[in-house]
């Protein structure tokens, strides 16, 4: 224990384990942000579509979305990533990024779908009935009336899911994708020191996730004010 504390507070260890490998960490940070952003965009699209399908009055549409959500939510992310990576990799000329983005996006999309479904169902049913009564189609009412209200209500839950996805992106290091966790593993292999690189990477994830949390809180306050006007 004493040895670990000495290592943790030794500036020379930090210099040799972090400072000397800063380009590796910076590249890992950039790749983490890239793959997380791509996965979140994909997950948002899938989640909104699947969430709307989950509340559809058409049974087969509802069933398709339900099967997707239940399968994805009840199987491990790592297993899904393995299936996407080795199953779809050859279809994309053995691209490393595309299958991993698809895996993360599809996985997160199932959780976003449930959040969106809950948000839609929290909007008073009279809103849809009133929209239909003034001549709107179901699609127009959902797009213009229901979804804007639902999204305003589910912002905190979406923020939590987005943060979880950024942390889950560390699993792509298993496939050699050069993100933050993979960078820490490389430095550990080179220096035989795991504590300091891991703490540094944990700090990077904290800064990213906490920043997103603050942004979502700001957006939530702004939308709350606009809703009161």
């Amino acid at each position: 224990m004493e040895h670990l504390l000495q290592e943790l507070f030794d500036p020379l260890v930090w210099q040799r384990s972090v400072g000397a490998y800063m380009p590796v960490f910076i590249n890992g940070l950039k790749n983490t942000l890239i793959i997380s952003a791509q996965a979140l965009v994909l997950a948002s699209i899938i989640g909104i579509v699947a969430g709307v399908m989950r509340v559809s009055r058409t049974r087969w549409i509802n069933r398709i979305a339900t099967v997707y959500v239940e399968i994805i939510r009840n199987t491990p992310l790592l297993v899904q990533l393995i299936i996407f990576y080795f199953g779809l990799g050859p279809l994309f000329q053995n691209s490393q990024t595309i299958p991993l983005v698809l895996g993360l996006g599809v996985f997160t999309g199932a959780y976003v779908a449930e959040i969106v479904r809950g948000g839609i169902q929290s909007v008073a049913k009279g809103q849809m009935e009133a929209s239909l009564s003034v001549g709107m189609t179901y699609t127009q009412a959902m797009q213009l009336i229901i979804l804007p209200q639902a999204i305003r209500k589910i912002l905190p839950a979406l923020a939590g899911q987005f943060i979880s996805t950024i942390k889950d992106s560390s699993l792509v290091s298993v496939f050699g994708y050069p993100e933050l966790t993979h960078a820490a593993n490389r430095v550990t292999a080179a220096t035989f020191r795991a504590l300091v690189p891991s703490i540094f990477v944990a700090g990077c994830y904290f800064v990213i996730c906490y920043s997103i949390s603050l942004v979502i809180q700001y957006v939530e306050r702004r939308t709350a004010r606009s809703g009161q006007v």
Side-chain angles (χ1 to χ4, degrees):
M1 185 66 180
E2 183 179 350
H3 172 71
L4 291 177
L5 290 176
Q6 289 177 348
E7 179 179 332
L8 181 60
F9 294 103
D10 188 342
L12 185 59
V13 172
W14 280 88
Q15 171 58 32
R16 291 176 176 175
S17 302
V18 176
Y21 293 92
M22 190 55 68
V24 176
F25 287 114
I26 291 174
N27 184 62
L29 175 62
K30 179 190 71 174
N31 288 329
T32 291
L33 293 174
I34 289 173
I35 196 169
S36 297
Q38 292 173 336
L40 289 175
V41 169
L42 177 61
S44 298
I45 296 171
I46 293 175
I48 291 174
V49 172
V52 172
M53 291 173 66
R54 287 276 279 140
V55 298
S56 173
R57 298 171 181 175
T58 305
R59 178 174 294 182
W60 67 268
I61 293 178
N62 186 294
R63 288 286 176 82
I64 290 174
T66 301
V67 169
Y68 156 67
V69 168
E70 294 302 327
I71 289 177
I72 296 300
R73 292 179 69 197
N74 290 289
T75 52
L77 173 57
L78 182 56
V79 173
Q80 294 178 32
L81 289 175
I82 292 172
I83 293 172
F84 274 93
Y85 189 79
F86 292 105
L88 298 182
L91 299 179
F92 298 102
Q93 299 179 338
N94 294 313
S95 168
Q96 187 179 35
T97 304
I98 295 176
L100 294 176
V101 169
L102 288 175
L104 284 172
V106 169
F107 178 81
T108 304
Y111 288 88
V112 173
E114 285 299 277
I115 294 171
V116 170
R117 177 189 62 80
I120 291 173
Q121 291 179 335
S122 71
V123 178
K125 293 182 179 179
Q127 299 271 358
M128 176 61 76
E129 295 170 358
S131 301
L132 297 176
S133 67
V134 298
M136 285 188 177
T137 65
Y138 179 85
T139 301
Q140 289 174 330
M142 185 64 70
Q143 180 180 353
L144 300 176
I145 305 299
I146 307 301
L147 275 178
Q149 295 182 67
I151 290 175
R152 189 179 299 132
K153 294 183 177 183
I154 64 177
L155 278 176
L158 282 178
Q161 187 56 54
F162 287 173
I163 288 172
S164 293
T165 300
I166 293 171
K167 292 185 291 184
D168 288 342
S169 71
S170 62
L171 286 175
V172 304
S173 63
V174 172
F175 305 92
Y177 187 82
E179 48 73 69
L180 271 173
T181 304
H182 185 265
N185 293 337
R186 286 182 57 190
V187 173
T188 297
T191 63
F192 300 101
R193 297 182 183 275
L195 181 62
V196 170
S198 297
I199 290 176
F200 178 74
V201 165
C204 291
Y205 278 113
F206 173 79
V207 170
I208 296 170
C209 296
Y210 187 62
S211 299
I212 291 176
S213 179
L214 291 178
V215 170
I216 294 294
Q217 289 177 25
Y218 172 76
V219 173
E220 189 180 359
R221 289 194 298 268
R222 290 294 300 270
T223 55
R225 290 197 199 106
S226 65
Q228 294 173 355
V229 176

